[in-house]
Amino acid sequence: MSHLDIRPAVLDDIPAIVALLADDPLGAQRESPDDLTPYTAAFERLAQDPNQIQAVAVREDRVVGTLQLTIVLGLSRRGSTRSIIEGVRVHADERGSGLGTRLIEWAIDESRRQDCQLVQLTSDVSRADAHRFYERLGFTASHVGFKLPL
Amino acid sequence: MSHLDIRPAVLDDIPAIVALLADDPLGAQRESPDDLTPYTAAFERLAQDPNQIQAVAVREDRVVGTLQLTIVLGLSRRGSTRSIIEGVRVHADERGSGLGTRLIEWAIDESRRQDCQLVQLTSDVSRADAHRFYERLGFTASHVGFKLPL
């Protein structure tokens, strides 16, 4: 396969990122790819935060994957820094190509570079394939993830 | 019971916060209350991040509870901002007093004030009492939480 580049997103990537977020059984219900305004506004704030990276995977000038990596300083575990991965998406054309692995490995490498001692993420209980994927990459399903919509 | 104040932590609160983090079945194995250096260094960085609040609950000038609240901007869910609660601890003398509820309600109120649309947290699978506590407060155990130590 042709060369894959993983890099921080820029404003021009937003339509492709939102299309990826929406092309998902859960995302289809909660995204609005026809109205990019809230995404653009959120990206402009996010891009100013040094602890946030919205990453995109690009092949032949086309965004084919994305994830968000957040660096979280903390006191617990002897003042450990941890990273949190959110919103991992791989284009339908690329599924099974190893791109998901490349994205997560990129996030792990970036977390090491930023001196994180722990990488964490949550995955909806319905995503059984994703759970096997994360376990193959060395993650342990040690926690229950709780959410409260406001 | 006497008045309880919940406020952002200051440097002088660090010994009490670390004692709370360590007085816990899981924390006992991973904290070092006899060496505060890594905690002080982490707090000084954390306190400069506008998206981080280390909160303490104080009764009669004594720190009796703590949690960390992180505000995470994002693109998914139409550019939603979410908050993440970590490291919730209540002093042994205060367990059953409703302080845990007060702390989480404080974090929910602060998340609303910062325009978050979602509050999330993870809890070790072994903490069955904590899971019932979060469900009583309206959280849904909708996710599996994965961790990878680096």
Side-chain angles (χ1 to χ4, degrees), chain A residues 82-137:
Chain A
R82 62 184 79 197
S83 67
I84 298 178
I85 298 173
E86 290 275 357
V88 182
R89 295 292 186 280
V90 168
H91 193 283
D93 296 350
E94 292 264 349
R95 284 173 202 158
S97 74
L99 173 56
T101 301
R102 292 279 301 276
L103 272 168
I104 299 298
E105 286 175 346
W106 178 91
I108 293 170
D109 288 347
E110 180 64 25
S111 301
R112 278 210 181 86
R113 208 183 63 76
Q114 299 219 22
D115 294 326
C116 296
Q117 284 91 47
L118 190 67
V119 183
Q120 64 188 55
L121 59 90
T122 67
S123 179
D124 193 281
V125 292
S126 69
R127 299 195 197 265
D129 289 353
H131 302 171
R132 283 188 290 271
F133 167 74
Y134 291 121
E135 285 179 332
R136 277 199 306 274
L137 288 169

Side-chain angles (χ1 to χ4, degrees), chain B residues 44-96:
Chain B
E44 284 174 343
R45 290 178 61 207
L46 186 153
Q48 287 170 29
D49 182 340
N51 290 324
Q52 293 278 6
I53 309 175
Q54 182 75 39
V56 286
V58 179
R59 201 192 297 279
E60 291 174 357
D61 291 329
R62 186 163 155 257
V63 173
V64 290
T66 190
L67 63 72
Q68 180 184 1
L69 185 68
T70 304
I71 307 298
V72 181
L73 306 170
L75 296 184
S76 63
R77 300 172 187 241
R78 306 189 75 243
S80 279
T81 300
R82 63 184 80 196
S83 67
I84 298 178
I85 298 173
E86 289 276 356
V88 182
R89 294 290 185 281
V90 169
H91 194 283
D93 296 349
E94 292 263 349
R95 284 173 201 156

Side-chain angles (χ1 to χ4, degrees), chain A residues 122 145-149, chain B residues 77 82 118-120 138-140 142-143:
Chain A
T122 67
F146 290 88
K147 300 208 189 236
L148 175 72
Chain B
R77 300 172 187 241
R82 63 184 80 196
L118 190 67
V119 184
Q120 64 188 55
F139 286 82
T140 305
S142 54
H143 283 62

